[in-house]
Amino acid sequence: MNGKVNLDDFCKEIKLEKIYYQSTELDLLNSGINRPGLQLHGYYEHFDSKRIQVIGKVEVSYLLDLDPAVRKKKIDDFFSYDFPCFIVCWDQDETHLFEEAAQKYGRTLLKSRVTTTTLFYDLVNYIDQLSAPRISLHGVLVEVFGVGVLITGPSGIGKSETALEIVKRGHCLIADDVVEVKRIRDGHLMGTAPELLQHFMEIRGIGIIDVKTLYGARAVKRDVEIDMVIRLENWDERSPYDRLGLDEQTLDILGIEVPEVMIPVSGGRNLACIIETAAINNRTKQYGYHSAQVFCDRVAHQNDLEVQKREAKKKLEEKKPTDD
């Protein structure tokens, strides 16, 4: 990771109190976090000063047990290293122990009300989100029955109109036209809208509409995990469309293979209803039930029974006595 993070945004997201700072930005060059127990004791071998420094009750108790002159020297030595920020957990009042050194070396001193473990989880999640690989895609992102559906297709095919009908049916809009996708931990893809475009949708013939204002807060979400892609294409009678659903396709997005369903578009087709069905069908596949495969297995079983019946009938006819 390499980049600047706004201090106000960082504190708002992690719920931190600013005690002292000189810069309004943090330079998070490393995605790691350090709890500097050994360093405060005086051991700096292999110390990575580019990490966020977090201390809890144990470190503060250790410092309070030291002679004031020794404590001041240890804190001064530690703050001489150029780390991004120093966070005191558990809503402790002892942040004053570090203010002098923070001012002397121009370090950012922050305070958290939560436990050290909780803060570690919050920081790891926040930094992972910032450092995640990302890409912008043209399409519409909706949540249908809890399934994140990315609708793609050529311009003018009706992606936004279809998404609007989906919203009217009680589902959620995440992004229209531009979808920002990032890959997070465990191989998952999260999609959201650029901040400028959040809640807005373009409907040709009407213009820009605010979905949140028209349909309420329930009709929009900030982000959703992308579970499947639905690609809209103009109907082509010569195209050999899959009639059973056994031909499963995927789309590579940031190295993650996402299930993709192609839906041909023609007059009279209820695309919103079809997408709802596709979302539910995708969810049942995740739970191990593949309806197309079950149907084919049933047909194969029925064919086997018919073959067995014909063979049994043939054997029975062969055993009948013949007239002389």
Side-chain angles (χ1 to χ4, degrees):
M1 178 181 176
N2 188 358
K4 300 284 186 177
V5 177
N6 182 271
L7 179 60
D8 288 335
D9 294 341
F10 178 68
C11 291
K12 181 180 179 181
E13 188 72 23
I14 308 298
K15 297 180 175 59
L16 300 172
E17 177 185 350
K18 289 178 286 188
I19 305 300
Y20 179 81
Y21 65 96
Q22 287 185 352
S23 175
T24 58
E25 292 184 325
L26 297 178
D27 193 4
L28 299 181
L29 298 176
N30 193 297
S31 60
I33 305 162
N34 183 55
R35 191 168 180 177
L38 289 173
Q39 285 74 46
L40 292 175
H41 189 66
Y43 183 78
Y44 285 91
E45 191 74 21
H46 308 297
F47 172 50
D48 188 353
S49 62
K50 298 304 180 183
R51 298 188 176 193
I52 296 173
Q53 307 299 317
V54 177
I55 67 167
K57 289 183 177 180
V58 175
E59 294 83 2
V60 171
S61 297
Y62 165 73
L63 291 171
L64 290 175
D65 285 341
L66 298 176
D67 178 82
V70 175
R71 178 172 62 236
K72 181 178 180 181
K73 177 67 167 57
K74 288 184 177 294
I75 294 175
D76 189 86
D77 289 344
F78 182 76
F79 272 76
S80 67
Y81 288 85
D82 186 17
F83 48 78
C85 65
F86 187 89
I87 307 175
V88 182
C89 299
W90 290 93
D91 196 24
Q92 299 179 90
D93 295 328
E94 285 76 13
T95 53
H96 66 274
L97 298 175
F98 313 102
E99 289 187 42
E100 182 179 345
Q103 294 176 17
K104 177 180 178 180
Y105 293 101
R107 307 290 179 242
T108 298
L109 177 61
L110 307 171
K111 181 178 179 180
S112 172
R113 296 181 178 273
V114 302
T115 66
T116 312
T117 302
T118 300
L119 181 63
F120 259 75
Y121 283 123
D122 292 342
L123 288 172
V124 168
N125 183 62
Y126 177 80
I127 295 173
D128 280 350
Q129 294 280 347
L130 288 177
S131 60
R134 59 191 66 208
I135 190 175
S136 293
L137 299 176
H138 175 65
V140 180
L141 182 60
V142 292
E143 184 187 64
V144 181
F145 297 125
V147 177
V149 180
L150 175 62
I151 305 173
T152 64
S155 180
I157 200 168
K159 297 184 295 293
S160 296
E161 290 81 357
T162 301
L164 182 61
E165 179 62 29
I166 288 173
V167 169
K168 291 176 63 179
R169 296 168 77 99
H171 307 293
C172 294
L173 171 74
I174 288 82
D176 178 59
D177 191 41
V178 178
V179 181
E180 293 184 346
V181 183
K182 55 188 173 184
R183 188 182 68 196
I184 57 177
R185 288 174 295 168
D186 302 324
H188 296 287
L189 297 171
M190 293 297 296
T192 187
E195 186 174 353
L196 182 65
L197 303 180
Q198 284 183 1
H199 310 155
F200 290 97
M201 175 182 287
E202 178 190 358
I203 303 297
R204 299 193 179 190
I206 297 178
I208 304 298
I209 63 172
D210 187 337
V211 174
K212 183 179 179 180
T213 299
L214 293 179
Y215 297 100
R218 64 144 187 92
V220 296
K221 283 189 68 175
R222 181 178 180 180
D223 54 31
V224 72
E225 183 177 340
I226 298 176
D227 298 299
M228 66 179 305
V229 176
I230 290 184
R231 175 166 49 93
L232 303 181
E233 288 188 359
N234 289 308
W235 184 285
D236 185 355
E237 294 182 355
R238 297 168 295 179
S239 181
Y241 297 119
D242 184 13
R243 300 288 298 272
L244 294 177
L246 293 175
D247 184 18
E248 296 188 354
Q249 299 180 353
T250 61
L251 178 66
D252 184 292
I253 302 178
L254 294 174
I256 306 298
E257 295 294 330
V258 183
E260 183 183 42
V261 177
M262 194 281 290
I263 297 179
V265 177
S266 64
R269 302 200 81 193
N270 190 332
L271 294 179
C273 180
I274 294 173
I275 290 176
E276 282 183 332
T277 304
I280 298 173
N281 192 49
N282 184 76
R283 176 59 58 86
T284 60
K285 288 180 182 179
Q286 293 176 350
Y287 285 116
Y289 182 82
H290 197 308
S291 56
Q293 188 62 57
V294 170
F295 173 76
C296 289
D297 291 343
R298 182 180 297 180
V299 171
H301 178 67
Q302 184 65 34
N303 290 338
D304 290 340
L305 290 178
E306 293 296 332
V307 171
Q308 293 173 11
K309 288 180 180 180
R310 286 196 298 268
E311 290 179 349
K313 183 178 179 180
K314 182 178 180 181
K315 290 179 180 180
L316 184 62
E317 292 177 348
E318 289 176 350
K319 290 182 179 180
K320 287 182 179 180
T322 58
D323 296 332
D324 293 335

